[in-house]
Amino acid sequence: MAVPKRRMSRSNTRSRRAQWKARAVVTQPCPQCRSPKLPHTACTVCGTYNGRQVVQV
Amino acid sequence: MPQPTKGARLGGSPAHEQLILANLATSLFRHGRIRTTEAKARRLRPFAERLVTVAKRGDLSSRRRALAVLRDKDVVHSLFAEIAPRYSNRPGGYTRITKLGPRRGDAAPMAMIELVEELETTQPADTDRRTADRQRERQDTVAALAGEEDEATAASAADSDSAEQAEEAGEAGKDSDKS
């Protein structure tokens, strides 16, 4: 089985991991209650989508 | 060439997938709206809408076709007696999927799939209106051309200027007809 010949340096490991970035979730203000919500999704605060009550909250 | 079904494969086997879809459809017709994962909702939509289309025929053979899938006689009865007549003037699109965001626990994207409400007004389909418009336009042009021809034969000796004027008059008449 193929295995690495050399231990990877601390610098190389950290350079690779420098690309692991978290990105903020994109949100849109709900047209009903102004709270941030996911786009194209029912609002989790007031439960409406497109002016229609989708879930009871 | 066989085309694979669109959307996610559900369950562990084709039989399991059929059972999942049948159970989801039964629940949807029983409760009107169900909350499930988005993948299941996307698979359920064509499945359930085909059953509504079958139910809209309303005869014995279509009832047997629905019973072969749904297995629950009460649900099949309500589908044929209540749900199908509701959509008699709706040409497809009987369900609506609304995304609800990730589920707590495994972050699976959830969705609400529901039977849409009755179509209130029977408006003629867009294609019908467009066909009627086109027919009216064609009649107008035919009338204008006939008028032109009459004038042309009457004043066959006249020069091209008068013919152009006649044409303009015909066009003006057509415009007034439209307005």
Side-chain angles (χ1 to χ4, degrees):
Chain A
M1 201 179 115
V3 288
K5 189 169 186 176
R6 292 257 178 273
R7 177 196 164 93
M8 204 182 195
S9 72
R10 197 162 62 181
S11 160
N12 270 345
T13 303
R14 287 174 181 173
S15 295
R16 186 180 72 248
R17 288 184 187 162
Q19 303 304 319
W20 296 1
K21 292 166 195 160
R23 194 171 291 147
V25 176
V26 178
T27 55
Q28 291 285 322
C30 171
Q32 297 287 327
C33 64
R34 299 276 139 216
S35 56
K37 72 173 191 69
L38 293 169
H40 307 292
T41 304
C43 177
T44 47
V45 177
C46 64
T48 59
Y49 183 70
N50 217 349
R52 180 183 287 118
Q53 193 72 31
V54 178
V55 277
Q56 300 300 321
V57 281
Chain B
M1 192 182 147
Q3 296 291 334
T5 317
K6 276 186 183 177
R9 303 286 101 81
L10 307 176
S13 61
H16 189 190
E17 180 170 296
Q18 281 304 309
L19 279 165
I20 288 173
L21 287 172
N23 287 336
L24 282 169
T26 309
S27 300
L28 176 64
F29 293 137
R30 184 174 289 150
H31 301 288
R33 53 162 51 181
I34 53 173
R35 179 198 169 95
T36 178
T37 61
E38 200 187 323
K40 281 178 187 157
R42 297 257 175 241
R43 285 299 306 276
L44 176 61
R45 173 151 65 174
F47 190 85
E49 291 194 358
R50 206 162 292 142
L51 281 171
V52 174
T53 311
V54 164
K56 275 168 81 174
R57 271 178 66 99
D59 54 6
L60 182 62
S61 77
S62 61
R63 195 175 286 265
R64 283 177 181 157
R65 282 176 69 187
L67 258 173
V69 174
L70 291 180
R71 293 186 190 84
D72 190 325
K73 280 187 180 172
D74 293 344
V75 170
V76 171
H77 176 75
S78 73
L79 172 65
F80 275 68
E82 287 155 34
I83 296 169
R86 225 163 76 189
Y87 299 136
S88 55
N89 58 3
R90 189 184 277 277
Y94 312 116
T95 58
R96 178 188 297 129
I97 295 177
T98 312
K99 287 183 259 186
L100 298 179
R103 170 164 67 190
R104 196 180 172 81
D106 64 352
M110 299 300 283
M112 172 80 78
I113 179 164
E114 58 189 328
L115 294 167
V116 298
E117 48 286 321
E118 199 166 347
L119 205 60
E120 294 297 333
T121 53
T122 45
Q123 57 202 10
D126 244 16
T127 51
D128 290 355
R129 214 178 328 123
R130 241 178 275 142
T131 321
D133 278 355
R134 220 175 296 130
Q135 277 171 356
R136 215 174 301 123
E137 223 165 78
R138 207 176 299 135
Q139 277 174 359
D140 286 352
T141 50
V142 164
L145 282 172
E148 258 175 48
E149 272 171 19
D150 287 351
E151 282 166 35
T153 47
S156 56
D159 54 4
S160 60
D161 284 1
S162 68
E164 274 176 21
Q165 278 169 3
E167 203 173 287
E168 277 169 13
E171 276 179 9
K174 196 174 79 183
D175 287 347
S176 66
D177 281 359
K178 260 188 198 166
S179 61

